[in-house]
Amino acid sequence: MIPFNRVVIVGGGTAGWMAAAALSKTFREKISIELIESEVIGTVGVGEATIPNIKNFHLLLELDEAEFMRAVHGTFKLGIEFVNWDNLGDRYFHPFGPPGVESWAAQFHHYWLRAKGQGDVADYGEFSVETSMARDGRFGMNGERKPNYAYHFDAGLYAKLLRGFSENLGVRRIEGKVVEVQTHPESGHIESVKLESGQVVAGDLFIDCTGFRGLLIEQELQTGWEDWSHWLRNDSAVAVQTESVSSLSPYTRSTARSAGWQWTIPLQHRVGNGLVYSSGYMPDDEATRTLLDNIDGKTINDPRVIKFRTGRRLKQWNRNCVALGLSSGFLEPLESTSIHLIQNGIIRLIKLFPFSGIDEAAVDQYNEDVRTEIEFIRDFIILHYHLTHRADSPYWNDCRTMQVPDTLLHKVSLFEGSGLIAQHPYDLFADQSWAAVMLGQGVEPKGHHPVVEMADDDELRQFLARIRASVRQIVELQPMHRDYVAAHCSTPEHAA
Ligand code: FAD
């Protein structure tokens, strides 16, 4: 055993069980892990779309993909389709993989922009394997160019899977509600938590996974909050599940409504639907009606309203407490980034684990890394609102005309002028993602990189035609998504 070895996780949602699984897998018997959760309080119960990096987390856990997919009734996700975001009736796709072919000097969109300037009207999505597969409703691994993908899963089943995994590795689950937190009178470090039953659980490191309430990090340690609601004005969501009625789309759909947007997430056994909105522009009952008016299939539960605040905790690691998940901050789910932030928080914690006690330099490093990463994601999400051309409601007028962070202004004006994209190593979204959203929402760069002028007009035309044909060829090799799931990873009761 190492000296600083008692980890107490409070909260058993996605964040709590992901932390328990990864820490127990990495450190085994070198640390003891106790996880406290309360069935009476329950979990937020949403959070079912991911981004491709989650595959790395599963590699760390050595989870078999087919077993995982069967357990969580999962489906595959090639990206997000955005409907009505630029103008009503428009749609574009943000794929997970890079389009076309690129040179070291310039990304593919520069070639496409030059051809477009010469009158070529081919849609940008036709050069992307992921976009074209998604539009055809196909998914598969045939051929040499495999798609980049993530998953949709049932959040409750994911936590259940990780709970079994963690308990097998020795994590001890304690059912009960934490009602009191004891801290050291001088250092302010948390020493123990007390449950309603009177049981006291002591530890060296506490991980706050208590959701929006931030029981340890905020209610006890009063860490502070940076509010981002002037940029990300949604503060509510209403969620409802429906029976599956149509083919299984291999992507998440985000449809903009008059004061927010609606998600559609297809799983094997049901569809997750929700409307994320700003209650200042749309009251809860109107949001619920809007959602129910715009879903297919019979509802299988009652619509549930969830309230949230966008922003971040000033420190995600404070004293001997690390906040993961909703207790650490929330950006709204537009690009499915929360589970990814949990994953990265856990990996950072493992790398900086305080084996011999809290080291303030390591704590500062952790907080700085998290801050940098989340600010890039924040800018990427604001981008979707800022670039709209919609002027059909006060909500969209305010989004379109709001002052955005300088870091984002710089990115947009660089792209508008030259098609260039400023890329930072901590930016989760690669240049192809920024390009997909900016082009999708109607930005027309005034220029392109001169390296694409090295080809003459004919060469460029042939180059693009070859890419388009090869994308088509790859796409047509793949089965329909539903058939792929049925053949590889369907949950037995949904196999039919
Ligand atoms: P919770 O699920 O709220 O869990 C909190 C836990 O703490 C529970 O187990 C509870 O019992 C326990 N607890 C609380 N208080 C106490 C106490 N006093 N004593 C004992 N236990 C206690 N993320 C994505 O990546 N993709 C998405 O598509 C996505 N969609 C979302 C949609 C919406 C509308 C919202 C609000 C969030 C979405 N998220 C999404 C975020 C995602 O849901 C969360 O990041 C994820 O579920 C983790 O939540 P959590 O574990 O931090 O909190």
Side-chain angles (χ1 to χ4, degrees):
M1 277 279 191
I2 47 183
F4 197 89
N5 61 45
R6 294 170 307 160
V7 174
V8 178
I9 301 171
V10 185
T14 304
W17 285 114
M18 281 177 78
L23 289 170
S24 58
K25 175 77 181 169
T26 309
F27 295 131
R28 304 270 170 150
E29 69 285 353
K30 298 282 179 211
I31 59 174
S32 78
I33 304 176
E34 291 176 307
L35 185 146
I36 307 166
E37 66 175 322
S38 159
E39 271 170 20
V40 177
I41 295 176
T43 65
V44 72
V46 280
E48 309 204 313
T50 60
I51 59 172
N53 305 27
I54 195 164
K55 298 205 291 290
N56 296 330
F57 188 70
H58 292 173
L59 277 180
L60 167 77
L61 302 185
E62 295 180 276
L63 274 189
D64 175 74
E65 182 174 82
E67 263 174 51
F68 149 75
M69 291 291 273
R70 274 192 282 274
V72 299
H73 301 196
T75 61
F76 295 93
K77 172 179 172 187
L78 292 161
I80 304 178
E81 184 186 41
F82 288 94
V83 182
N84 294 344
W85 275 83
D86 184 24
N87 285 296
L88 275 169
D90 285 351
R91 56 181 70 215
Y92 71 93
F93 199 81
H94 170 198
F96 284 142
V101 175
E102 47 190 57
S103 76
W104 66 268
Q107 301 92 346
F108 173 75
H109 67 265
H110 291 277
Y111 295 91
W112 181 81
L113 283 170
R114 179 181 157 205
K116 188 166 180 253
Q118 293 170 344
D120 188 334
V121 292
D123 183 84
Y124 191 58
E126 291 176 29
F127 299 93
S128 155
V129 167
E130 287 78 10
T131 306
S132 302
M133 245 186 229
R135 285 179 175 160
D136 275 23
R138 295 175 193 255
F139 183 85
M141 294 292 146
N142 298 328
E144 281 188 12
R145 166 66 165 83
K146 316 285 183 212
N148 201 13
Y149 64 91
Y151 311 109
H152 299 126
F153 54 63
D154 180 312
L157 294 176
Y158 189 56
K160 187 171 162 202
L161 173 76
L162 295 183
R163 173 179 163 185
F165 180 96
S166 308
E167 287 180 326
N168 277 339
L169 290 174
V171 173
R172 195 163 78 90
R173 176 186 181 273
I174 303 172
E175 169 62 36
K177 188 172 165 191
V178 172
V179 288
E180 209 180 303
V181 182
Q182 280 105 18
T183 55
H184 188 277
E186 278 150 32
S187 67
H189 285 208
I190 299 174
E191 293 184 322
S192 60
V193 292
K194 191 171 170 191
L195 309 191
E196 215 166 30
S197 62
Q199 184 183 357
V200 172
V201 184
D204 299 311
L205 182 72
F206 286 79
I207 305 187
D208 185 342
C209 298
T210 60
F212 289 124
R213 52 182 68 71
L215 188 73
L216 310 181
I217 195 82
E218 195 57 50
Q219 290 186 27
E220 183 59 36
L221 299 182
Q222 303 192 350
T223 302
W225 178 261
E226 184 174 319
D227 184 77
W228 288 340
S229 58
H230 48 296
W231 291 316
L232 297 170
R233 51 197 71 214
N234 295 331
D235 59 6
S236 311
V238 53
V240 74
Q241 298 167 359
T242 50
E243 289 175 356
S244 307
V245 283
S246 54
S247 62
L248 213 53
S249 310
Y251 56 89
T252 303
R253 180 177 296 127
S254 163
T255 308
R257 302 281 175 219
S258 65
W261 60 275
Q262 179 178 338
W263 79 75
T264 313
I265 300 180
L267 302 180
Q268 288 183 36
H269 57 314
R270 62 164 168 82
V271 178
N273 310 274
L275 183 73
V276 178
Y277 59 99
S278 171
S279 59
Y281 297 81
M282 184 184 267
D284 295 347
D285 54 348
E286 187 186 334
T288 305
R289 257 196 330 273
T290 305
L291 176 64
L292 294 177
D293 286 349
N294 287 288
I295 48 176
D296 298 324
K298 225 169 117 211
T299 57
I300 51 182
N301 64 354
D302 289 331
R304 190 167 56 93
V305 172
I306 302 162
K307 294 287 168 186
F308 58 80
R309 263 196 312 164
T310 51
R312 69 173 190 103
R313 204 66 69 201
L314 288 179
K315 292 176 183 175
Q316 283 71 26
W317 186 340
N318 187 3
R319 298 190 179 95
N320 64 336
C321 173
V322 178
L324 290 173
L326 299 171
S327 63
S328 69
F330 187 52
L331 276 171
E332 82 139 90
L334 186 59
E335 284 281 353
S336 324
T337 44
S338 293
I339 294 171
H340 169 77
L341 285 166
I342 298 170
Q343 166 183 338
N344 266 9
I346 295 168
I347 305 292
R348 286 194 179 102
L349 175 60
I350 289 174
K351 287 185 177 164
L352 295 170
F353 196 84
F355 295 107
S356 42
I358 299 295
D359 168 3
E360 284 307 326
V363 171
D364 290 347
Q365 186 62 50
Y366 182 95
N367 287 325
E368 179 56 19
D369 289 351
V370 175
R371 186 188 60 76
T372 312
E373 180 177 38
I374 198 171
E375 285 181 358
F376 277 111
I377 300 176
R378 175 201 68 192
D379 284 3
F380 187 61
I381 295 177
I382 298 171
L383 178 79
H384 299 64
Y385 292 95
H386 173 57
L387 288 187
T388 187
H389 288 93
R390 284 183 63 161
D392 55 295
S393 72
Y395 175 89
W396 289 108
N397 282 337
D398 290 348
C399 289
R400 203 186 60 250
T401 54
M402 70 180 156
Q403 282 278 337
V404 298
D406 289 345
T407 41
L408 176 57
L409 264 187
H410 167 70
K411 231 163 170 152
V412 174
S413 60
L414 183 66
F415 188 73
E416 280 172 341
S418 56
L420 296 177
I421 294 171
Q423 187 76 56
H424 186 280
Y426 268 63
D427 194 341
L428 169 65
F429 289 98
D431 41 27
Q432 72 242 14
S433 289
W434 285 87
V437 174
M438 291 197 267
L439 294 171
Q441 296 208 183
V443 178
E444 294 194 355
K446 293 189 191 72
H448 52 255
H449 197 290
V451 79
V452 305
E453 303 288 349
M454 305 302 281
D456 66 30
D457 293 356
D458 255 4
E459 282 169 338
L460 179 69
R461 240 190 318 276
Q462 284 169 22
F463 170 69
L464 292 179
R466 271 199 308 275
I467 295 175
R468 219 155 37 144
S470 100
V471 165
R472 249 350 292 161
Q473 202 182 24
I474 294 162
V475 170
E476 279 163 22
L477 288 175
Q478 314 308 328
M480 298 309 284
H481 180 219
R482 183 175 289 283
D483 296 336
Y484 185 88
V485 170
H488 292 89
C489 53
S490 89
T491 312
E493 63 262 39
H494 309 304

